[in-house]
Amino acid sequence: MQFFNELTLLTTPYAFTALMGVVGLLIGSFLNVVIYRLPIMMKRQWRNDCLEYLELENDAPTDIFNLALPASRCPHCQTQILARHNVPVLSYLWLRGKCANCREPISRRYPAVEFLTAFLSMIVAWHFGYGEQAAAGLLLTWVLIALSLIDLDHQLLPDVIVLPMLWLGLIASLFTIFANSSTSIIGAVSGYLALWSVYHGFKLFTGKEGMGHGDFKLLAMLGAWLGWQYLGLIILLSSVVGAFIGITLISLNKQNRDVPIPFGPYLAIAGWIALLWGNSLNQWYFG
């Protein structure tokens, strides 16, 4: 019996990592829904609120539109996607990247998000092993993927995701999953104030807004989860990654200098790196 327990699925590193890869594929499929639908839901709600405030007639669509309904459909022919055609990655490969009904191409982004989520989930599972840190790390990873892609598409970091995760990070600090309560609280406050100060300083000297308010909250969220000790590393890494990608895109003429580049994805990348290897990087840097 003891030998069997040592080989159970959740305590064997290889089996646990593989299982989280499968779970990551399923979560990635759900993240595709969140990334596409949540901004539309928010814009609909904003429009309804504005019309109600101005006491104007609301001619907005009355159809149900949320993360569950309506069922997924082909964007070209509007045919409902069957369950067998919605298996993460495998269905895309089986259908050769085309709709089963109209044969119009399906965006490669859908399987890419599913594969990315599975791959990063496996890294987190292997790094932390079975336990509460793996569970918290997986949740944070999935949220950062969703926030990054929403910010890339809409330059928006939804409060409906960021703020609950910030509070959840503070609650997690009560159990010292990644940080204790004092470092978590200081991390949340310091993370917000750090970019808030940069924003107002840049605006004071240039008269322009250098970043969105959502970036303040995202860094505060990362500070709440990881503690204030990792904020410097996150800011440094995000700045380096952002500068490298931005310069590369501009040099390749794929990004106009006048078009703002969202900073949220770079914060998310840096935060994820700090989640896994932040302690080692801090020791190396300060050493």
Side-chain angles (χ1 to χ4, degrees), residues 10-30:
L10 296 181
T11 56
T12 304
Y14 293 104
F16 177 62
T17 301
L19 175 62
M20 290 303 101
V22 175
V23 172
L25 287 174
L26 299 175
I27 295 295
S29 180
F30 174 70

Side-chain angles (χ1 to χ4, degrees), residues 65-250:
F65 189 86
N66 53 42
L67 297 181
L69 296 172
S72 298
R73 298 178 179 274
C74 171
H76 303 286
C77 64
Q78 298 302 312
T79 302
Q80 182 173 330
I81 299 176
L82 302 177
R84 67 175 181 272
H85 297 153
N86 209 20
V87 179
V89 177
L90 296 180
S91 290
Y92 185 88
L93 296 175
W94 179 40
L95 295 171
R96 297 183 179 179
K98 297 180 180 180
C99 171
N101 182 61
C102 67
R103 306 307 297 170
E104 287 292 327
I106 301 172
S107 173
R108 296 177 182 178
R109 175 161 161 174
Y110 295 113
V113 171
E114 293 164 353
F115 177 81
L116 176 66
T117 306
F119 180 67
L120 297 185
S121 298
M122 292 175 70
I123 293 176
V124 171
W126 180 261
H127 181 83
F128 290 113
Y130 177 68
E132 57 185 14
Q133 283 193 327
L138 287 168
L139 176 61
L140 189 56
T141 299
W142 299 335
V143 167
L144 290 176
I145 292 172
L147 289 174
S148 297
L149 292 174
I150 291 175
D151 200 22
L152 281 174
D153 290 342
H154 304 278
Q155 296 188 8
L156 173 70
L157 292 169
D159 284 350
V160 70
I161 297 178
V162 176
L163 296 184
M165 284 296 294
L166 192 156
W167 285 108
L168 189 58
L170 294 174
I171 294 173
S173 71
L174 297 174
F175 306 97
T176 319
I177 295 179
F178 295 121
N180 57 43
S181 294
S182 59
T183 57
S184 176
I185 294 172
I186 296 173
V189 175
S190 301
Y192 187 91
L193 291 178
L195 293 187
W196 179 90
S197 302
V198 172
Y199 167 85
H200 284 282
F202 184 82
K203 187 175 182 180
L204 178 64
F205 285 103
T206 66
K208 300 179 181 179
E209 295 184 356
M211 63 180 63
H213 291 207
D215 298 323
F216 314 164
K217 302 169 189 175
L218 177 56
L219 188 57
M221 184 196 86
L222 293 171
W225 276 91
L226 305 179
W228 64 266
Q229 299 96 323
Y230 296 98
L231 291 178
L233 175 65
I234 293 172
I235 294 174
L236 177 61
L237 287 175
S238 60
S239 300
V240 172
V241 173
F244 175 77
I245 294 178
I247 293 173
T248 302
L249 292 176
I250 292 174

